Amino acid sequence: MNPDIHVLSYNPTEAIDIKEKGGLSFRFNGKRHLRWLYRAAAILVVLNTVAILCKYLTDHPNAWGIIPQFELDNERNVPTYFSSFILLLASVLLFTIAALKQRRKDKYTWHWRLLAIVFLYMSVDESAGIHEMLIYPLRDNFNMGGIFYFSWVIVGGLLVLGLGVYYLRFLFSLEPKLRNGLMLAGAIYVSGALGVELFGGYYADTYGLDNLAYAMITTVEETLEIVGILFLLTALYSYLEKQLTFLRLNLRRAEAEVELTDILPQLKAVPQEERLN
């Protein structure tokens, strides 16, 4: 064998296998998917309304476990996981924007990243109900009632106020369309999560939790929260759409793909049998 020739050994079967290996590329139309999320939210609100009407106006308050699965105010059911999912989507979009801002060395990169972390926590909390663990200790130790019957709102309100002050300069640094979208989404979400929750606490403390009127109050509360998150997703996606040429997720194996036609001219590929001879 000529010593000047560099040999690249290969197995024809392996070469075919390598050619067939490829990446998975996911492209999606974000606006179309957002429309489906809005439709899903509307369906869940309608199903919740039907569920609570059946619960309080018919002789089938449980319907073999079906009704609790669609009540917006219940935990660990279909609406809960939907809300957790869209909060997670918001976190993913915020992390994406933070990565984009970091690449451009934007001074507000950390603000985007912190928002992403906050929404990631909110996604977990929506399913786990962590904030509700504050209710009984605060209520029992400080004898709270009325609008503070669900006493976690005190801690939640202070956190919202603190974040609002911290993000004030950041908000006014944004382009008007994005700023208005974020502020509208935040106002809708907070009006449900805190505003209606305060009124719901007063009503629950006065008339109890197990009645149609309170169920309708919680329906308004949860609907506002969902709408606020969906508006946030819309604003974030529209912003990303302007900033990026495309948004694509690639899944690819670490091994380099080899095409025989790409081998450099000075390399000669010979089968293993010839190399042994």
Side-chain angles (χ1 to χ4, degrees):
M1 182 179 293
N2 189 339
D4 295 331
I5 297 177
H6 301 280
V7 176
L8 176 66
S9 65
Y10 82 103
N11 184 308
T13 304
E14 291 179 356
I16 294 172
D17 181 58
I18 290 174
K19 281 188 71 176
E20 290 178 350
K21 288 179 180 177
L24 293 177
S25 181
F26 294 94
R27 291 178 179 269
F28 61 92
N29 183 329
K31 290 183 178 179
R32 183 179 65 186
H33 287 76
L34 281 170
R35 285 194 293 269
W36 279 109
L37 288 177
Y38 277 98
R39 291 177 187 133
I43 290 171
L44 287 176
V45 172
V46 171
L47 289 175
N48 163 82
T49 305
V50 172
I52 60 177
L53 289 176
C54 290
K55 181 177 181 178
Y56 292 106
L57 301 180
T58 72
D59 296 328
H60 302 282
N62 193 51
W64 304 283
I66 297 175
I67 287 176
Q69 287 301 313
F70 294 100
E71 289 184 85
L72 289 175
D73 195 43
N74 268 6
E75 303 296 333
R76 292 180 292 277
N77 62 4
V78 176
T80 298
Y81 295 129
F82 177 79
S83 295
S84 181
F85 173 69
I86 58 178
L87 283 166
L88 180 61
L89 278 182
S91 177
V92 170
L93 291 181
L94 287 164
F95 272 120
T96 303
I97 295 174
L100 179 65
K101 294 298 182 180
Q102 183 176 20
R103 181 181 299 177
R104 297 176 179 176
K105 302 186 184 304
D106 189 279
K107 67 177 182 178
Y108 290 110
T109 297
W110 174 245
H111 289 73
W112 289 106
R113 189 174 294 125
L114 178 59
L115 271 180
I117 294 170
V118 168
F119 275 86
L120 180 60
Y121 165 77
M122 289 169 64
S123 174
V124 174
D125 182 74
E126 186 68 27
S127 294
I130 300 172
H131 68 281
E132 294 181 357
M133 296 171 61
L134 297 171
I135 294 176
Y136 295 106
L138 290 173
R139 183 193 296 166
D140 295 341
N141 288 310
F142 297 98
N143 194 28
M144 291 182 174
I147 61 172
F148 297 123
Y149 182 74
F150 300 121
S151 46
W152 74 268
V153 296
I154 298 173
V155 177
L158 291 174
L159 287 174
V160 169
L161 181 61
L163 285 172
V165 173
Y166 178 70
Y167 275 91
L168 194 59
R169 182 176 296 179
F170 163 80
L171 280 172
F172 283 100
S173 73
L174 301 175
E175 59 182 62
K177 184 177 180 180
L178 177 60
R179 179 175 65 246
N180 294 338
L182 294 183
M183 292 179 68
L184 177 61
I188 293 173
Y189 185 87
V190 172
S191 67
L194 292 178
V196 180
E197 182 84 335
L198 289 170
F199 177 70
Y202 168 77
Y203 193 93
D205 191 28
T206 306
Y207 302 103
L209 299 169
D210 193 16
N211 56 75
L212 178 59
Y214 178 73
M216 296 304 296
I217 292 171
T218 59
T219 296
V220 174
E221 174 194 335
E222 298 294 336
T223 300
L224 287 173
E225 290 181 17
I226 291 173
V227 171
I229 301 166
L230 291 176
F231 277 23
L232 174 65
L233 288 173
T234 302
L236 293 176
Y237 183 79
S238 297
Y239 178 70
L240 271 174
E241 197 174 38
K242 290 181 179 179
Q243 298 299 311
L244 300 175
T245 305
F246 62 87
L247 185 61
R248 180 173 62 192
L249 171 65
N250 286 324
L251 301 178
R252 188 176 295 276
R253 290 178 63 87
E255 298 94 339
E257 295 181 4
V258 177
E259 294 283 352
L260 295 182
T261 56
D262 294 336
I263 298 175
L264 296 175
Q266 67 267 28
L267 297 180
K268 179 182 179 181
V270 296
Q272 292 178 349
E273 301 82 42
E274 292 184 22
R275 190 181 179 193
L276 292 175
N277 294 333

